[in-house]
Amino acid sequence: MEERDYHQLVKLQGAFFDEHITREIPFRLCALDRLAEGLVSREKELTEALRADLGKSPFESYATEIGFLLHEIRTVKNHLQDWTRDRRCHTPLFLFGSKSRIHYEPYGCVLIISPWNYPLQLALSPLVGAIAAGNCAIVKPSGEAPHTARALKELIDECFEEEYIAVTDARRETTETLLQERFDYIFYTGGVEYGRHVMQAAARYLTPVTLELGGKSPCIVDDDAHLPTAACRIVWGKFLNCGQTCVAPDYLLVHSRIASQFIDLMRQEIVRQYGEDPQHNPDYPRIVNARHFERLATLLSHGTPLCGATCDPADRYIAPTLLTDIDPRSPLLTDEIFGPILPVIPFDDIDDCIEHINRHEKPLALYYFTRSRKRARYMIQHTSSGGACINDTVMQTANGHLPFGGIGNSGMGAYHGRTSFETFSHRRGIVTSAQRLYSNFRIAPYGEKLKWLKRLMK
């Protein structure tokens, strides 16, 4: 589609939305069915596209993308009738004779800008929420995962007419073109700097936004943690998708009393999960492209390797890597890594960890390993993050009953499950007053009514 056509596409979707078809619950459920059927029928093509872009195994592709989406669709379908019902609200005494409720209505035409690291899940999971809420949508995929972008467009074109749901081409310039249009809602997943740009573009029309960004997500292992469990779950969460996960542990703080033992366990766990040579393990993914590979490869020299630190540019392969002795000014400790490199930093006092976390921008995720409920509660109460796990990593994103989103620099707004439906819905407050049973108390002339008003409103 040529650039000049996107203005017409937005108008086309606006006209379709105004027909009120998308507001009908059976229509929404049917659309979700079509999307689920498309995912199932195209599972092979989608898996191959994810393998071509990111080197993902079929298991990882299904667990984190296709299966994740099918589960999300089932959850939404099972609860949609209940979620869309008007919610009755308390009506105060001074509104005697009236009833109050919240009515959920769709925004209209929404724009979903998706990233490359989970190019299917992060394009379609917001779309599930947009469909459930009754919106039309335009999805802009990332050009850095071109095979998945093509497969995504084929999937959506097969399932929907473009006046309802459309996928654009994957060029970066297309994002700029789309941001010039007037949408009713914008949902962006990606980097912090471009997130600011999206928000500035949205401000032109006062368009509401959800920004799912990222940041330096800390992982802390205290001296009372169950170390084998911590090592297993941190290795999995960090090297999932070759570290290209917005909620991956970005740096590891380990109590100095158990640091040496824990590093040995981490090394053993990397071998257990990916073998002596991860490059030839079909379960270990690849860096998305040469540009990101080169950025990560330069970081390998910023510390002392504890394991890994090897790479192959021809294969876009970087080994699972642990580094220590890192300069505090290094990009490893100032920028989001977004790759299979984990800085390891020893600590002596948990309050030093908390001070370090609170001195920097609020992260998207926080992970803390301890056997003590008291310590876990202390950590949660004295830090802030988009989400958190105690004694695990990444799994806060897997529970569709929890909101997923950032805070501060890591984003604004949330989605997944019911939260997705509410994100893409306007909550419209409605008061219905009786036509006959009605008090003229609030109507002029007021006379001596003030003293009674004060009593009523106490």
Side-chain angles (χ1 to χ4, degrees):
M1 180 176 288
E2 297 295 329
E3 284 187 16
R4 64 178 180 271
D5 291 331
Y6 288 121
H7 179 69
Q8 291 301 318
L9 177 58
V10 173
K11 287 180 65 176
L12 184 67
Q13 290 204 345
F16 184 71
F17 178 77
D18 288 342
E19 294 178 16
H20 295 266
I21 298 170
T22 65
R23 296 172 183 258
E24 300 297 328
I25 306 304
F27 182 88
R28 304 184 205 183
L29 292 171
C30 182
L32 292 170
D33 277 334
R34 291 204 303 274
L35 183 57
E37 290 165 4
L39 285 167
V40 171
S41 67
R42 290 181 168 269
E43 180 182 340
K44 181 181 178 182
E45 294 91 329
L46 294 168
T47 301
E48 289 173 352
L50 291 165
R51 169 71 85 178
D53 285 329
L54 291 152
K56 290 192 180 190
S57 67
F59 181 92
E60 192 167 312
S61 292
Y62 194 85
T64 65
E65 308 245 19
I66 299 167
F68 180 99
L69 290 165
L70 290 171
H71 179 75
E72 178 89 348
I73 292 169
R74 281 194 298 272
T75 300
V76 171
K77 281 184 58 189
N78 289 341
H79 295 91
L80 189 58
Q81 290 280 3
D82 180 53
W83 294 346
T84 54
R85 289 192 183 99
D86 288 2
R87 285 173 53 192
R88 293 182 62 183
C89 297
H90 174 73
T91 303
L93 183 59
F94 61 82
L95 292 180
F96 178 77
S98 301
K99 294 181 179 179
S100 305
R101 59 193 168 97
I102 295 172
H103 175 70
Y104 292 94
E105 64 180 23
Y107 279 102
C109 181
V110 306
L111 172 63
I112 298 168
I113 305 171
S114 61
W116 53 263
N117 58 324
Y118 289 87
L120 192 66
Q121 184 214 127
L122 297 180
L124 295 186
S125 183
L127 179 63
V128 170
I131 290 172
N135 299 281
C136 297
I138 295 174
V139 179
K140 165 59 179 66
S142 171
E144 301 208 58
H147 298 87
T148 310
R150 281 195 295 272
L152 176 64
K153 181 162 177 52
E154 290 169 2
L155 167 68
I156 296 300
D157 287 349
E158 179 184 86
C159 292
F160 306 110
E161 298 296 327
E162 69 172 9
E163 62 262 31
Y164 177 37
I165 309 292
V167 173
T168 72
D169 67 68
R171 295 175 302 156
R172 186 182 181 90
E173 304 79 44
T174 299
T175 310
E176 291 300 312
T177 301
L178 290 165
L179 288 175
Q180 300 305 310
E181 299 297 328
R182 183 169 188 166
F183 288 91
D184 299 297
Y185 201 96
I186 297 175
F187 190 106
Y188 169 77
T189 306
V192 174
E193 289 306 316
Y194 201 77
R196 291 193 178 98
H197 175 67
V198 170
M199 196 168 182
Q200 288 173 343
R204 178 184 177 192
Y205 295 114
L206 297 180
T207 303
V209 298
T210 290
L211 302 178
E212 297 296 341
L213 308 176
K216 303 285 292 178
S217 294
C219 183
I220 306 111
V221 180
D222 218 332
D223 59 355
D224 69 330
H226 187 270
L227 300 187
T229 298
C232 173
R233 293 174 182 176
I234 293 169
V235 166
W236 174 80
K238 175 60 183 179
F239 301 114
L240 178 75
N241 201 30
C242 208
Q244 299 165 117
T245 303
C246 58
V247 291
D250 207 71
Y251 61 100
L252 180 61
L253 299 165
V254 186
H255 199 289
S256 56
R257 192 176 297 130
I258 50 93
S260 178
Q261 179 188 359
F262 189 69
I263 288 166
D264 285 340
L265 288 169
M266 290 278 287
R267 290 195 193 101
Q268 295 169 28
E269 192 59 38
I270 289 170
V271 172
R272 192 184 73 80
Q273 292 190 29
Y274 297 112
E276 294 285 353
D277 184 4
Q279 185 171 9
H280 294 97
N281 187 318
D283 291 333
Y284 187 69
R286 295 296 184 266
I287 305 305
V288 67
N289 58 32
R291 180 170 67 87
H292 285 280
F293 174 89
E294 290 167 8
R295 175 185 64 84
L296 291 164
T298 62
L299 295 176
L300 294 174
S301 61
H302 283 238
T304 302
L306 297 169
C307 72
T310 59
C311 57
D312 180 354
D315 192 26
R316 306 194 320 267
Y317 166 78
I318 295 179
T321 299
L322 305 178
L323 295 179
T324 191
D325 302 325
I326 301 160
D327 189 311
R329 296 165 295 179
S330 166
L332 283 171
L333 297 181
T334 59
D335 302 335
E336 186 177 11
I337 295 170
F338 225 65
I341 304 169
L342 185 61
V344 180
I345 306 162
F347 72 89
D348 294 310
D349 188 333
I350 195 64
D351 285 323
D352 292 338
C353 296
I354 290 172
E355 181 186 355
H356 174 83
I357 292 165
N358 292 336
R359 197 168 58 239
H360 294 83
E361 297 287 358
K362 293 180 180 181
L364 185 57
L366 181 146
Y367 306 113
Y368 183 44
F369 288 82
T370 177
R371 299 190 204 207
S372 166
R373 291 183 180 180
K374 182 178 179 181
R375 290 186 183 187
R377 185 165 56 249
Y378 184 83
M379 177 63 66
I380 295 298
Q381 289 176 342
H382 287 80
T383 59
S384 178
S385 63
C389 273
I390 305 299
N391 294 323
D392 213 334
T393 62
V394 182
M395 297 312 292
Q396 77 278 15
T397 69
N399 184 349
H401 299 287
L402 291 175
F404 171 68
I407 181 173
N409 220 51
S410 60
M412 61 176 66
Y415 70 125
H416 286 181
R418 176 162 192 155
T419 309
S420 286
F421 168 78
E422 294 184 343
T423 288
F424 287 102
S425 299
H426 168 58
R427 290 186 292 177
R428 190 178 186 184
I430 300 172
V431 170
T432 303
S433 297
Q435 296 186 67
R436 295 182 179 274
L437 182 62
Y438 192 76
S439 171
N440 289 326
F441 178 79
R442 61 184 172 143
I443 296 171
Y446 302 122
E448 300 296 320
K449 295 177 182 178
L450 179 57
K451 63 180 180 180
W452 297 105
L453 177 65
K454 288 181 176 180
R455 290 184 182 181
L456 278 172
M457 297 190 73
K458 277 185 179 179

